[in-house]
Amino acid sequence: MKSLPLLLIFLLSCLLFSISFSSPPEESVSSHSHVLPRPLIIEYPDGVGEKENYNDDQRELLQLECTSWRFAVESNNLRPWKKIPLECADYVKDYVTGRAYKMDLDRVSNEASFFARSVQIGDDGNDVWVFDVDETLISHLPYYAQHGYGLEEFDSVAFDEWVDKAMAPSIEPSLRLYEEVMSLGFKVFLLTGRSEKQRDVTVQNLLNVGFKNWDKLILRGAEDHGKLATVYKSEKRIEMVKDGYRILGNSGDQWSDLLGSAMSTRSFKLPNPMYYIP
Amino acid sequence: MKSLPLLLIFLLSCLLFSISFSSPPEESVSSHSHVLPRPLIIEYPDGVGEKENYNDDQRELLQLECTSWRFAVESNNLRPWKKIPLECADYVKDYVTGRAYKMDLDRVSNEASFFARSVQIGDDGNDVWVFDVDETLISHLPYYAQHGYGLEEFDSVAFDEWVDKAMAPSIEPSLRLYEEVMSLGFKVFLLTGRSEKQRDVTVQNLLNVGFKNWDKLILRGAEDHGKLATVYKSEKRIEMVKDGYRILGNSGDQWSDLLGSAMSTRSFKLPNPMYYIP
């Protein structure tokens, strides 16, 4: 009987923890509000979610919940989100700085490479592989390491300052794929949500880290600003198809790189649990 | 120096392990071969993959590799596969029989429910939610428990015998979603890869476990046999759109339930690391 209070505290903690994960706040939402970013989970009152005090079972549950959250991100099941869940901050940091992220990047590159080698390329030079740029070819981990790996809300001013340095490192498995699809005879189109104003730093950054000889680099023009990425990228892919290109492969870290109109024959989703672009 | 042989054995094991995961066998493949099922990873010679002998680091690596493989399944990055990787047999069993699978099913149901409540339903009764059946509404875990949770190649005779028993249990979070979208005013269309010959047992099984009042149950007719699921399901969705329906939501455990033509506004991918349908 001495352990009853402890048991009750434990059960209560489990309950609070479970509520915090499974019941995001109801919101009054209008039609199509699902495309507007909003926080996944509200921040908790002090005392809830202090992981230092977790016992082994709570830690295991946290690991399971954050893995489940990450699965939902990667399979495009989540409503739009602006920040990673507070409780998963350590989990996301461990993931992107550890072996698992590298392993996932390697696997998606290998699978894309396998597909690229398996398809017949026409001799008209019209077979295209589309690559997104940020978190697909080059990595902003050095920036996100300074900004909680997604725990802070996106700061476009600070981010653009970082982009202007043109110092984002390459994602090596993507560089390998990039060079391979080029050598197989694909045209390579880079389709990025960056602004046309960032063309020079983008070119410089890509060249700095080994990407070269792309066939097109498409950035947002004045008329594209304010469009959802899915819409903007779909429009650009529709133009490619109208120009006679066949989009066989598409690599991107956001589902908004891959879904919409004029979708590629096969899409490859690179992992990114740090941020979401609708 | 005494530990040198041990170190060598460890390094060799790591190497073998790493090769087994990172280099699936090259195959001579023809155009569009990516849509034909083929094993993900070949089986290994005896002695490789005996997990009982793994040390802690090897076990951790195995856990990471199988998680990475599962991510690749759920984000649709893998080439078609017929069996789960031999090394991940315990991992997949632990996942589907443990808390993680339930958690993922809950999350996708909750996210779908949030979306369903957020969209405006027209008053013409033409807003549709499409559900796949197997591993979406009802579960074949009792069958797969007898067949290695995906480790054995698909046996259509044994599987059909199980289906004919009409004893597949419901997936509770999906039943919750099913009832909710119906109460919100969606038409509910069930679109399954099962044959028209299985209509009666399918109806019986669904009713047995609480699914009722669906608006349509679409099964493969004689003309649909041999079609890839993506093609068959796209054709059926195109018909729905031609009939004036708006497909707002679609729930399925296979990407072939969700991708193709006449895609829904939002798709929800239920987890399934046990089998793959192209």
Side-chain angles (χ1 to χ4, degrees):
Chain A
M1 289 303 285
K2 259 172 72 182
S3 61
L4 191 62
L6 269 175
L7 182 69
L8 282 172
I9 288 170
F10 170 68
L11 287 174
L12 188 65
S13 310
C14 287
L15 183 69
L16 280 170
F17 183 81
S18 141
I19 288 170
S20 73
F21 264 107
S22 61
S23 305
E26 301 270 332
E27 295 176 48
S28 165
V29 286
S30 61
S31 171
H32 290 90
S33 64
H34 59 284
V35 295
L36 299 171
R38 92 174 67 78
L40 172 70
I41 290 176
I42 52 166
E43 291 190 21
Y44 306 103
D46 290 344
V48 180
E50 283 179 8
K51 290 186 293 293
E52 304 74 39
N53 304 326
Y54 281 5
N55 62 28
D56 283 353
D57 192 65
Q58 287 170 309
R59 278 176 207 279
E60 193 193 320
L61 186 59
L62 182 67
Q63 182 76 12
L64 282 175
E65 289 280 5
C66 293
T67 303
S68 176
W69 172 81
R70 186 161 67 89
F71 265 73
V73 169
E74 298 302 342
S75 52
N76 203 30
N77 285 335
L78 283 192
R79 73 197 72 179
W81 51 280
K82 278 185 170 176
K83 298 192 281 190
I84 63 174
L86 181 59
E87 298 83 354
C88 299
D90 290 342
Y91 174 93
V92 170
K93 179 184 174 184
D94 290 349
Y95 169 74
V96 292
T97 59
R99 292 196 286 188
Y101 181 48
K102 287 190 186 69
M103 209 177 263
D104 287 341
L105 290 170
D106 258 336
R107 191 178 306 268
V108 63
S109 171
N110 290 342
E111 290 296 320
S113 156
F114 181 87
F115 169 70
R117 284 178 281 123
S118 76
V119 286
Q120 199 79 41
I121 305 276
D123 48 16
D124 56 4
N126 281 347
D127 293 296
V128 168
W129 199 286
V130 174
F131 286 96
D132 168 55
V133 171
D134 297 313
E135 252 61 61
T136 298
L137 298 183
I138 57 178
S139 167
H140 298 300
L141 262 182
Y143 172 86
Y144 279 93
Q146 304 298 317
H147 296 270
Y149 296 99
L151 196 59
E152 295 175 17
E153 223 170 287
F154 185 65
D155 176 345
S156 63
V157 175
F159 186 71
D160 284 351
E161 277 172 17
W162 153 257
V163 164
D164 285 343
K165 291 179 183 165
M167 282 175 62
S170 70
I171 292 177
E172 286 303 313
S174 295
L175 181 53
R176 211 166 57 221
L177 175 67
Y178 177 97
E179 289 174 344
E180 183 170 33
V181 299
M182 212 166 253
S183 76
L184 287 167
F186 285 89
K187 287 258 186 322
V188 167
F189 291 174
L190 311 186
L191 176 53
T192 171
R194 290 183 177 201
S195 160
E196 193 61 63
K197 289 175 191 161
Q198 294 168 309
R199 178 175 287 274
D200 290 349
V201 292
T202 304
V203 168
Q204 189 192 329
N205 198 149
L206 287 167
L207 293 175
N208 283 349
V209 295
F211 294 94
K212 51 191 177 186
N213 299 328
W214 57 80
D215 294 282
K216 280 190 190 180
L217 167 60
I218 306 165
L219 304 98
R220 276 183 198 258
E223 69 283 9
D224 301 316
H225 289 286
K227 286 178 188 167
L228 290 177
T230 312
V231 173
Y232 155 68
K233 295 201 166 185
S234 290
E235 288 175 356
K236 294 300 174 185
R237 285 196 306 269
I238 290 169
E239 284 175 29
M240 294 175 201
V241 172
K242 279 191 184 150
D243 291 342
Y245 293 110
R246 297 176 293 273
I247 308 173
L248 299 187
N250 187 0
S251 298
D253 66 295
Q254 301 287 325
W255 281 100
S256 54
D257 297 329
L258 308 173
L259 295 176
S261 301
M263 282 169 62
S264 55
T265 305
R266 274 289 304 270
S267 289
F268 295 93
K269 169 70 177 73
L270 283 79
N272 185 357
M274 297 186 298
Y275 60 86
Y276 169 84
I277 299 173
Chain B
M1 288 302 288
K2 258 171 73 181
S3 62
L4 192 62
L6 271 174
L7 181 69
L8 281 174
I9 289 169
F10 170 67
L11 287 174
L12 189 65
S13 311
C14 287
L15 182 67
L16 281 171
F17 182 81
S18 138
I19 288 171
S20 75
F21 264 108
S22 60
S23 305
E26 300 272 333
E27 296 175 48
S28 166
V29 286
S30 62
S31 170
H32 290 91
S33 64
H34 60 284
V35 293
L36 300 171
R38 91 173 70 77
L40 173 70
I41 289 175
I42 51 167
E43 291 190 23
Y44 306 103
D46 288 344
V48 180
E50 284 178 9
K51 290 187 291 294
E52 304 74 40
N53 304 326
Y54 282 4
N55 63 29
D56 283 353
D57 192 65
Q58 287 170 309
R59 279 176 206 279
E60 192 192 322
L61 186 58
L62 181 67
Q63 183 76 11
L64 282 176
E65 289 280 5
C66 294
T67 304
S68 176
W69 172 81
R70 186 161 66 90
F71 265 74
V73 169
E74 298 302 341
S75 53
N76 202 29
N77 285 335
L78 282 193
R79 72 196 71 177
W81 50 281
K82 280 185 170 177
K83 298 192 279 191
I84 64 173
L86 179 60
E87 299 81 356
C88 298
D90 289 343
Y91 174 93
V92 170
K93 178 185 174 183
D94 290 349
Y95 169 74
V96 292
T97 59
R99 293 196 285 190
Y101 181 48
K102 286 190 186 67
M103 209 177 264
D104 288 342
L105 290 170
D106 259 336
R107 191 178 306 269
V108 64
S109 171
N110 291 342
E111 291 295 321
S113 156
F114 181 86
F115 169 70
R117 283 178 281 125
S118 76
V119 286
Q120 197 79 42
I121 305 277
D123 48 17
D124 55 4
N126 282 346
D127 293 297
V128 168
W129 199 288
V130 175
F131 286 96
D132 169 55
V133 172
D134 297 312
E135 252 61 62
T136 298
L137 298 184
I138 56 178
S139 167
H140 299 301
L141 262 182
Y143 172 85
Y144 279 93
Q146 304 298 319
H147 293 84
Y149 296 99
L151 196 59
E152 295 175 17
E153 223 169 288
F154 184 67
D155 176 344
S156 62
V157 175
F159 186 71
D160 283 351
E161 277 172 18
W162 152 257
V163 165
D164 284 344
K165 292 178 183 165
M167 284 177 61
S170 70
I171 292 176
E172 285 304 312
S174 296
L175 180 54
R176 212 166 57 223
L177 175 68
Y178 177 96
E179 288 174 345
E180 182 169 31
V181 300
M182 214 166 253
S183 76
L184 286 166
F186 285 90
K187 285 258 184 330
V188 166
F189 291 174
L190 311 186
L191 177 51
T192 171
R194 290 183 177 202
S195 160
E196 193 60 63
K197 291 175 191 163
Q198 294 168 310
R199 177 175 289 272
D200 290 348
V201 292
T202 305
V203 168
Q204 188 191 330
N205 198 150
L206 288 166
L207 292 175
N208 283 348
V209 296
F211 295 94
K212 50 191 175 187
N213 299 328
W214 55 80
D215 295 282
K216 281 190 190 183
L217 168 60
I218 305 164
L219 304 98
R220 276 182 198 257
E223 69 284 8
D224 301 316
H225 289 287
K227 286 178 187 167
L228 290 177
T230 314
V231 174
Y232 155 67
K233 295 201 166 186
S234 289
E235 288 174 357
K236 295 299 174 186
R237 286 196 306 269
I238 289 170
E239 285 175 28
M240 294 174 201
V241 171
K242 279 192 184 150
D243 291 342
Y245 294 110
R246 297 175 294 273
I247 309 172
L248 298 187
N250 187 359
S251 298
D253 67 295
Q254 300 286 325
W255 280 99
S256 53
D257 297 328
L258 310 172
L259 295 175
S261 301
M263 281 168 61
S264 54
T265 305
R266 274 290 305 273
S267 288
F268 295 92
K269 169 70 178 74
L270 282 80
N272 185 356
M274 296 187 297
Y275 60 86
Y276 170 84
I277 298 174

